[in-house]
mmCIF file of all heavy atoms in Angstrom:
data_model
loop_
_atom_site.group_PDB
_atom_site.id
_atom_site.type_symbol
_atom_site.label_atom_id
_atom_site.label_comp_id
_atom_site.label_asym_id
_atom_site.label_seq_id
_atom_site.Cartn_x
_atom_site.Cartn_y
_atom_site.Cartn_z
ATOM 1 N N HIS A 156 -24.828 11.940 12.952
ATOM 2 C CA HIS A 156 -25.652 12.602 11.923
ATOM 3 C C HIS A 156 -26.625 13.603 12.541
ATOM 4 O O HIS A 156 -27.086 14.515 11.866
ATOM 5 C CB HIS A 156 -26.423 11.547 11.118
ATOM 6 C CG HIS A 156 -27.399 10.766 11.933
ATOM 7 N ND1 HIS A 156 -27.014 9.708 12.732
ATOM 8 C CD2 HIS A 156 -28.733 10.906 12.114
ATOM 9 C CE1 HIS A 156 -28.082 9.223 13.349
ATOM 10 N NE2 HIS A 156 -29.138 9.943 12.996
ATOM 11 N N ILE A 157 -26.937 13.418 13.833
ATOM 12 C CA ILE A 157 -27.870 14.331 14.502
ATOM 13 C C ILE A 157 -27.289 15.753 14.564
ATOM 14 O O ILE A 157 -28.026 16.736 14.571
ATOM 15 C CB ILE A 157 -28.217 13.775 15.904
ATOM 16 C CG1 ILE A 157 -29.068 12.513 15.723
ATOM 17 C CG2 ILE A 157 -28.949 14.809 16.766
ATOM 18 C CD1 ILE A 157 -29.301 11.721 16.976
ATOM 19 N N ALA A 158 -25.958 15.849 14.533
ATOM 20 C CA ALA A 158 -25.321 17.170 14.592
ATOM 21 C C ALA A 158 -25.410 17.927 13.269
ATOM 22 O O ALA A 158 -25.085 19.113 13.206
ATOM 23 C CB ALA A 158 -23.857 17.023 15.010
ATOM 24 N N VAL A 159 -25.848 17.243 12.214
ATOM 25 C CA VAL A 159 -25.938 17.921 10.912
ATOM 26 C C VAL A 159 -27.312 17.713 10.259
ATOM 27 O O VAL A 159 -27.448 17.782 9.052
ATOM 28 C CB VAL A 159 -24.811 17.460 9.944
ATOM 29 C CG1 VAL A 159 -23.465 17.983 10.400
ATOM 30 C CG2 VAL A 159 -24.765 15.940 9.807
ATOM 31 N N ASP A 160 -28.332 17.467 11.081
ATOM 32 C CA ASP A 160 -29.657 17.229 10.494
ATOM 33 C C ASP A 160 -30.491 18.507 10.367
ATOM 34 O O ASP A 160 -31.637 18.470 9.936
ATOM 35 C CB ASP A 160 -30.423 16.153 11.296
ATOM 36 C CG ASP A 160 -30.726 16.599 12.736
ATOM 37 O OD1 ASP A 160 -30.359 17.730 13.110
ATOM 38 O OD2 ASP A 160 -31.310 15.788 13.481
ATOM 39 N N GLY A 161 -29.910 19.639 10.748
ATOM 40 C CA GLY A 161 -30.630 20.909 10.614
ATOM 41 C C GLY A 161 -31.540 21.217 11.788
ATOM 42 O O GLY A 161 -32.045 22.337 11.909
ATOM 43 N N ASN A 162 -31.755 20.266 12.664
ATOM 44 C CA ASN A 162 -32.628 20.464 13.822
ATOM 45 C C ASN A 162 -31.805 20.999 14.995
ATOM 46 O O ASN A 162 -30.873 20.340 15.463
ATOM 47 C CB ASN A 162 -33.285 19.121 14.193
ATOM 48 C CG ASN A 162 -34.149 19.235 15.443
ATOM 49 O OD1 ASN A 162 -34.411 20.333 15.942
ATOM 50 N ND2 ASN A 162 -34.585 18.085 15.948
ATOM 51 N N LYS A 163 -32.151 22.216 15.458
ATOM 52 C CA LYS A 163 -31.438 22.809 16.589
ATOM 53 C C LYS A 163 -32.284 22.778 17.853
ATOM 54 O O LYS A 163 -31.976 23.434 18.846
ATOM 55 C CB LYS A 163 -31.058 24.257 16.258
ATOM 56 C CG LYS A 163 -30.135 24.362 15.041
ATOM 57 C CD LYS A 163 -30.124 25.770 14.490
ATOM 58 C CE LYS A 163 -29.525 25.765 13.094
ATOM 59 N NZ LYS A 163 -29.808 27.023 12.391
ATOM 60 N N GLY A 164 -33.394 22.051 17.817
ATOM 61 C CA GLY A 164 -34.320 22.002 18.953
ATOM 62 C C GLY A 164 -33.670 21.389 20.191
ATOM 63 O O GLY A 164 -32.732 20.599 20.099
ATOM 64 N N ASN A 169 -32.436 14.933 20.212
ATOM 65 C CA ASN A 169 -31.659 15.736 19.256
ATOM 66 C C ASN A 169 -30.254 15.977 19.792
ATOM 67 O O ASN A 169 -29.804 17.107 19.945
ATOM 68 C CB ASN A 169 -32.361 17.064 18.965
ATOM 69 C CG ASN A 169 -31.629 17.865 17.887
ATOM 70 O OD1 ASN A 169 -31.022 17.293 16.980
ATOM 71 N ND2 ASN A 169 -31.650 19.182 18.018
ATOM 72 N N ARG A 271 -26.160 19.533 19.933
ATOM 73 C CA ARG A 271 -27.401 19.417 19.160
ATOM 74 C C ARG A 271 -27.143 19.586 17.682
ATOM 75 O O ARG A 271 -27.783 18.971 16.841
ATOM 76 C CB ARG A 271 -28.376 20.539 19.587
ATOM 77 C CG ARG A 271 -29.063 20.371 20.894
ATOM 78 C CD ARG A 271 -29.838 21.635 21.228
ATOM 79 N NE ARG A 271 -28.963 22.723 21.632
ATOM 80 C CZ ARG A 271 -29.223 24.010 21.431
ATOM 81 N NH1 ARG A 271 -30.325 24.380 20.820
ATOM 82 N NH2 ARG A 271 -28.383 24.939 21.861
ATOM 83 N N GLU A 272 -26.215 20.490 17.367
ATOM 84 C CA GLU A 272 -26.005 20.823 15.961
ATOM 85 C C GLU A 272 -24.633 21.481 15.804
ATOM 86 O O GLU A 272 -24.127 22.126 16.732
ATOM 87 C CB GLU A 272 -27.111 21.796 15.486
ATOM 88 C CG GLU A 272 -27.230 21.962 13.994
ATOM 89 C CD GLU A 272 -27.829 20.752 13.261
ATOM 90 O OE1 GLU A 272 -28.255 19.790 13.923
ATOM 91 O OE2 GLU A 272 -27.833 20.783 12.028
HETATM 92 CA CA1 CA B 302 -29.542 18.387 15.272
#
Side-chain angles (χ1 to χ4, degrees):
H156 63 280
I157 291 170
V159 290
D160 64 1
N162 177 10
K163 299 163 195 165
N169 185 32
R271 285 173 286 150
E272 194 72 5

